[in-house]
Amino acid sequence: DIQMTQSPSSLSASVGDRVTITCRASQSISSYLNWYQQKPGKAPKLLIYAASSLQSGVPSRFSGSGSGTDFTLTISSLQPEDFATYYCQQSYSTPGITFGQGTRLEIK
Amino acid sequence: EVQLVESGGVVVQPGGSLRLSCAASGFTFDDYAMHWVRQAPGKGLEWVSLISWDGGSTYYADSVKGRFTISRDNSKNSLYLQMNSLRAEDTALYYCAKDISHSSGIMDVWGKGTTVTVSS
């Protein structure tokens, strides 16, 4: 199985900050990398697919980049509603889909 | 409105069986592959199973292979997960999710989940 490792596991930031979350795959996954946001008590929400494509309806302050084994999710200017847990997920080896362990973004 | 609604989660004893259902609406159900994903209490997301648009291909995580069976009834716009030989480690919130296309692995619509608790 392809292992996905996110860093950091948790992060404190302030409204207006620029935030970057990193995801590393245990082997090359080309651009088959997706990002989800999950708020407490809610289902995950697709933010970015294919490493850098913004899902419809997602604010443009969210962006993704990377290919191969190293990927990043960037939030350009944190808004109060962005405090949540973020998961990366590889779809390279579908159906052997795997998620990262999550990054909890908290208010400083 | 595109919507997925899961049901069937209950408290069940170890070794027991359970069938989860997911009712889909607002999109052409038989155009898309579907997934089950679970989340143990306080833990991350774990992909469980995938079924192709026509039900002809099914796939499972190693942790559930041989115990769980995914199926769908396109005439009823419904997805199912038959869970047998349940273990304590199967305790989780189970989500159904729509694939963005034919088994891409990208999940663009999620239900709110149904809770399965395996305990004596």
Side-chain angles (χ1 to χ4, degrees):
Chain A
D1 284 1
I2 299 174
Q3 307 302 316
M4 307 301 294
T5 304
Q6 291 181 231
S7 61
S9 294
S10 64
L11 174 62
S12 294
S14 302
V15 172
D17 284 354
R18 179 183 180 89
V19 167
T20 297
I21 298 170
T22 298
C23 179
R24 176 165 288 176
S26 60
Q27 66 181 72
S28 177
I29 58 170
S30 185
S31 296
Y32 292 87
L33 191 283
N34 314 302
W35 291 97
Y36 299 84
Q37 176 195 65
Q38 187 178 34
K39 296 182 180 179
K42 301 294 186 181
K45 173 186 175 183
L46 177 66
L47 297 177
I48 302 282
Y49 63 95
S52 61
S53 295
L54 194 67
Q55 173 66 353
S56 176
V58 174
S60 59
R61 62 181 179 272
F62 290 92
S63 64
S65 64
S67 66
T69 60
D70 294 315
F71 302 87
T72 58
L73 172 70
T74 300
I75 309 172
S76 60
S77 178
L78 269 176
Q79 298 302 300
E81 61 267 30
D82 299 337
F83 292 94
T85 299
Y86 293 84
Y87 293 93
C88 64
Q89 174 235 339
Q90 65 83 14
S91 51
Y92 176 81
S93 64
T94 300
I97 294 163
T98 48
F99 290 89
Q101 81 278 16
T103 295
R104 185 175 178 181
L105 178 54
E106 301 174 320
I107 300 173
K108 183 182 287 185
Chain B
E1 179 191 6
V2 176
Q3 194 172 12
L4 297 171
V5 179
E6 303 92 337
S7 62
V10 292
V11 178
V12 60
Q13 291 189 338
S17 296
L18 195 56
R19 188 198 201 202
L20 304 184
S21 299
C22 172
S25 59
F27 64 99
T28 305
F29 184 66
D30 55 12
D31 274 353
Y32 300 95
M34 297 292 294
H35 302 261
W36 288 99
V37 176
R38 69 184 180 183
Q39 188 168 34
K43 302 297 184 181
L45 301 170
E46 179 188 15
W47 174 79
V48 172
S49 186
L50 161 66
I51 187 166
S52 61
W53 65 275
D54 62 351
S57 298
T58 58
Y59 307 93
Y60 302 93
D62 288 344
S63 58
V64 306
K65 200 173 294 182
R67 300 188 299 120
F68 289 12
T69 302
I70 191 172
S71 62
R72 64 191 295 162
D73 185 337
N74 287 344
S75 68
K76 295 182 178 179
N77 288 348
S78 292
L79 175 72
Y80 306 101
L81 186 67
Q82 177 67 41
M83 310 165 69
N84 297 332
S85 303
L86 283 160
R87 306 167 179 167
E89 54 264 35
D90 296 317
T91 294
L93 180 62
Y94 284 74
Y95 294 103
C96 71
K98 169 187 165 291
D99 197 283
I100 203 167
S101 66
H102 293 285
S103 303
S104 72
I106 303 167
M107 294 167 250
D108 66 337
V109 180
W110 296 64
K112 294 182 178 180
T114 188
T115 299
V116 173
T117 302
V118 183
S119 174
S120 54

